[in-house]
Amino acid sequence: MKISHKIIRCISLLFFIFHIIHVPILSLQNISKKYGTVQALSGVSFEVPSGSVFGVLGPNGSGKTTLLGIVTDVLKADSGSFTLFDKPATAHERRQIGTLLETPNFYHYLSGYKNLEISATIKQRGKDDIARVLEICGLTQRQHSVFKTYSLGMKQRLAIAAVLLGDPAVLILDEPTNGLDPSGIAEVRDLVRQLANTGKTIILASHLLDEVEKVCTHVAILRSGKLLLSGAVNEVISRNDYLELSAADNNALRVALLQYPSCTSADITGSLVKTFFTTQPDAAAINSYCSQQGIWLNHLQLRKKSLETAFLEITNNPAS
């Protein structure tokens, strides 16, 4: 049976699309960087999936900005390598990335539009793209207002508008909400979510847990230049539910719970027994189990570990 050339071309196109979708946007292999005696990065490796909002999370001094500087060719790694779009990083690949490592030095006495004209010239991007990025960033109505009259959130949205010139497939944003008031933070986070919904891949460095929870799909956690964990947020920062229970005799309750399958710990805290499990706890089954042991519960509540607690368990773990 003969297969037409048109079918062959369609099959080849489908394989190409499948390959693009599944190839990581950024792949780091053992990146290390030292400043004198300070080891800023130590053998960092992870991959950024296409279409993700990837948070590089860690406290100040953990190596986030150094890592982004290496990826954007501002800094050179001492050792290790990385690829962009499954290729060695060249100027061609980097032109597909919009970067905001620090707030651009806009001219305070010029309008938002005029500042973007200057940015477009510097970046060799078409000025005909300015209207589009202003609309995306919600600044069309204020495009001719002088920059110094902008709120903090508007100034940062103009910075992101400059990054969007040329419609790059990937955005790299270093602490995009740093220094903003609550209103400005909300504005920028909403914008990041909108951009992610258009299919762009966004790499976002932050020291804020709230950022990761509300914006990111994936995360890499750094501490003192070392990678602790990376992957999907809900897998990396595990927040398993736990149970709070109490009975007339909490000591007997604790002993019984420790015998329950999948129970990993049971600790008495005040008037309650806090109990963790390797799997999602079934409150009804555990209530039935306790009654079979002759223990009648007067309190049973399912709770979720806070994001902060889960993060601290990772970063404070000596084995990490």
Side-chain angles (χ1 to χ4, degrees):
M1 182 179 68
K2 291 184 178 181
I3 302 176
S4 70
H5 291 296
K6 184 179 290 187
I7 292 175
I8 292 174
R9 285 198 299 271
C10 288
I11 293 172
S12 298
L13 179 60
L14 287 173
F15 273 112
F16 174 76
I17 293 172
F18 180 84
H19 175 74
I20 290 296
I21 291 174
H22 289 80
V23 166
I25 292 295
L26 170 66
S27 180
L28 301 165
Q29 297 92 32
N30 297 310
I31 297 292
S32 293
K33 178 69 176 179
K34 201 171 185 179
Y35 299 110
T37 59
V38 177
Q39 189 73 49
L41 294 170
S42 181
V44 173
S45 301
F46 62 78
E47 292 185 344
V48 175
S50 175
S52 64
V53 181
F54 196 101
V56 182
L57 178 64
N60 292 330
S62 60
K64 304 186 300 296
T65 298
T66 296
L67 184 65
L68 297 188
I70 290 170
V71 171
T72 55
D73 204 31
V74 174
L75 299 170
K76 296 294 183 184
D78 295 333
S79 60
S81 62
F82 66 93
T83 58
L84 289 171
F85 308 100
D86 203 31
K87 299 176 182 177
T90 65
H92 174 72
E93 279 71 42
R94 288 195 179 91
R95 280 189 64 82
Q96 301 176 60
I97 297 175
T99 304
L100 178 60
L101 294 186
E102 58 183 26
T103 303
N105 293 319
F106 290 127
Y107 293 96
H108 285 220
Y109 54 87
L110 294 180
S111 69
Y113 188 94
K114 288 293 185 182
N115 272 296
L116 287 183
E117 278 190 325
I118 294 170
S119 294
T121 300
I122 293 171
K123 296 181 178 184
Q124 298 180 339
R125 307 289 193 186
K127 294 182 181 180
D128 55 352
D129 198 28
I130 293 176
R132 182 186 69 87
V133 301
L134 282 168
E135 182 65 27
I136 290 172
C137 295
L139 292 171
T140 301
Q141 300 301 317
R142 294 291 303 276
Q143 61 181 304
H144 298 304
S145 298
V146 177
F147 178 77
K148 66 182 179 181
T149 67
Y150 283 9
S151 67
L152 291 174
M154 291 172 65
K155 289 176 179 177
Q156 191 68 340
R157 281 187 281 133
L158 187 68
I160 294 175
V163 170
L164 290 172
L165 288 168
D167 198 20
V170 180
L171 306 178
I172 295 180
L173 310 175
D174 187 12
E175 302 276 6
T177 61
N178 198 31
L180 299 183
D181 57 21
S183 175
I185 290 173
E187 290 175 18
V188 171
R189 286 180 180 170
D190 284 345
L191 177 56
V192 169
R193 281 191 286 262
Q194 291 170 26
L195 292 170
N197 289 337
T198 67
K200 291 189 183 297
T201 302
I202 301 172
I203 303 171
L204 183 154
S206 180
H207 66 279
L208 302 174
L209 283 172
D210 201 39
E211 206 98 69
V212 172
E213 184 175 36
K214 293 182 177 177
V215 176
C216 298
T217 61
H218 294 71
V219 66
I221 299 177
L222 298 178
R223 182 186 66 191
S224 302
K226 295 181 179 179
L227 178 70
L228 301 184
L229 288 170
S230 68
V233 169
N234 60 353
E235 295 174 2
V236 171
I237 307 179
S238 176
R239 301 175 64 194
N240 292 335
D241 292 337
Y242 65 92
L243 287 177
E244 287 182 343
L245 312 93
S246 69
D249 186 346
N250 276 347
N251 286 311
L253 174 59
R254 176 180 176 276
V255 172
L257 288 169
L258 288 172
Q259 303 304 313
Y260 187 83
S262 79
C263 177
T264 58
S265 67
D267 299 304
I268 298 176
T269 304
S271 61
L272 300 173
V273 180
K274 184 183 290 187
T275 312
F276 289 90
F277 304 84
T278 56
T279 58
Q280 178 71 14
D282 183 334
I286 292 169
N287 185 37
S288 176
Y289 166 80
C290 290
S291 64
Q292 291 169 13
Q293 309 304 309
I295 299 172
W296 304 100
L297 301 177
N298 54 43
H299 177 85
L300 173 60
Q301 187 165 7
L302 189 66
R303 293 192 178 276
K304 185 177 285 292
K305 186 189 304 180
S306 73
L307 182 66
E308 183 178 14
T309 299
F311 179 72
L312 289 175
E313 286 176 357
I314 297 170
T315 55
N316 292 335
N317 183 0
S320 295

